[in-house]
Amino acid sequence: MTDESKGMWLGLAGVAIFSLTLPFTRMAVAELNPVFVAFGRAVVAALCSILLLWKIKAARPTGAQWKSLAITALGVVVGFPVFSSVAMRYVPAAHGAIVLGILPLATAMFGALRFGERPSPGFWIAAVVGSGIVVVFAVNQSGGRLQLADLALLAAVLAAATGYAEGGRLSQTMGGQQVIAWALLLSLPLVLPITVWLGWRYGISASPKAWLGFAYVSLFSMFIGFFFWYKGLALGGIARVGQMQLLQPFLTLLGAALILGEALEGRNMLFALAVLIVVGFGRNMAVRRQPA
């Protein structure tokens, strides 16, 4: 199996884990403060990171690596969790899943601008068409217009795309586990005091169901999922493996139906089929990469 093929499979595993983030986030923020959920999940994952870094005897990052880790942390440890948690207070997970469907295009664009990846015209056509499909679906689902919560979701897209591309590139030299672990550790001095204050201010009384949602986004969405995702991006390239995210909205739709009981309509499957075709087309398009 080639590195690109391994990267695609690892990327798919990461996407499968991330696809349940919105349903479990919505479950948590139904009873807990959304910003507490966003920062609290980073605290839990950061504590796990300390144990991981100690166990593998990880070397300290270099100066240049610290800079990339800071960008990664701002994107995936702070930005995406905050914006997505706030949005999940006001829109269903199914709606959020489709709006986030433009994330693959944003990730590819950031990879191209930041790291010199040069996707072919055919690749860009596939990315634009696939993203266009999910945007049309989002507008159709919300009655012909986007909601205010969509602004938070769009901000979450930009934050995640930045963190995914930066962390994926850094994984080529550090390894996916170390990238997310150091990014979480770097964020701990910020997120810990805010989490404690929010817990004191708004309380942490919630049902086991809400805490189950919090546990998932803390351990899987914020920690374990990145092991697969960043390794996949490192092996297969940011632009190409990033296209696996086109499947995420539809996996999230299924998860929202199973976990939250949200409606799963037949036309959703038609959109899913269309996206699968586009992903297959984009998978075969050339992407020129520069060495790390």
Side-chain angles (χ1 to χ4, degrees):
M1 186 180 294
T2 66
D3 282 348
E4 284 196 353
S5 295
K6 291 178 183 177
M8 295 294 286
W9 282 109
L10 288 168
L12 179 59
V15 165
I17 292 172
F18 293 149
S19 68
L20 298 181
T21 297
L22 292 186
F24 278 112
T25 297
R26 186 163 175 80
M27 185 186 296
V29 301
E31 301 179 39
L32 295 167
N33 178 270
V35 182
F36 170 82
V37 172
F39 284 162
R41 77 187 214 174
V43 171
V44 173
L47 296 178
C48 294
S49 296
I50 294 174
L51 295 176
L52 173 65
L53 293 171
W54 172 77
K55 181 178 180 180
I56 65 177
K57 297 179 173 60
R60 289 175 60 87
T62 64
Q65 288 175 333
W66 279 119
K67 178 182 177 181
S68 291
L69 286 168
I71 296 174
T72 301
L74 286 174
V76 300
V77 178
V78 178
F80 179 83
V82 169
F83 291 122
S84 61
S85 294
V86 170
M88 285 301 93
R89 264 287 176 96
Y90 303 103
V91 294
H95 180 88
I98 306 305
V99 176
L100 294 184
I102 62 174
L103 184 53
L105 180 59
T107 302
M109 290 178 62
F110 190 89
L113 294 172
R114 180 84 169 90
F115 302 118
E117 289 196 354
R118 292 295 180 264
S120 64
F123 177 91
W124 284 115
I125 291 173
V128 171
V129 171
S131 298
I133 290 173
V134 294
V135 169
V136 168
F137 188 35
V139 173
N140 179 264
Q141 286 280 302
S142 57
R145 61 182 180 84
L146 296 178
Q147 305 179 47
L148 290 177
D150 293 322
L151 296 177
L153 289 168
L154 291 173
V157 166
L158 295 177
T162 302
Y164 284 170
E166 193 76 33
R169 181 71 167 186
L170 190 57
S171 294
Q172 295 180 14
T173 55
M174 288 187 65
Q177 292 184 346
Q178 290 196 46
V179 168
I180 189 58
W182 282 112
L184 285 162
L185 189 59
L186 182 62
S187 306
L188 190 58
L190 170 66
V191 298
L192 179 57
I194 295 177
T195 301
V196 172
W197 182 82
L198 288 171
W200 173 80
R201 176 68 176 80
Y202 295 101
I204 57 174
S205 177
S207 68
K209 181 179 179 180
W211 284 112
L212 174 62
F214 179 83
Y216 184 91
V217 297
S218 298
L219 296 176
F220 289 92
S221 302
M222 193 76 266
F223 192 56
I224 296 174
F226 282 99
F227 296 174
F228 297 95
W229 183 239
Y230 279 152
K231 182 65 173 179
L233 290 175
L235 288 175
I238 295 167
R240 188 181 300 283
V241 177
Q243 295 307 291
M244 297 304 295
Q245 293 170 304
L246 285 169
L247 301 177
Q248 186 168 326
F250 305 97
L251 294 176
T252 301
L253 286 173
L254 180 60
L258 294 175
I259 297 170
L260 301 175
E262 295 184 4
L264 181 62
E265 302 178 5
R267 60 179 176 175
N268 294 355
M269 297 300 100
L270 295 177
F271 275 93
L273 178 60
V275 170
L276 282 171
I277 293 173
V278 173
V279 170
F281 177 76
R283 172 69 178 83
N284 294 317
M285 295 296 104
V287 178
R288 191 172 73 251
R289 301 172 62 190
Q290 292 185 354

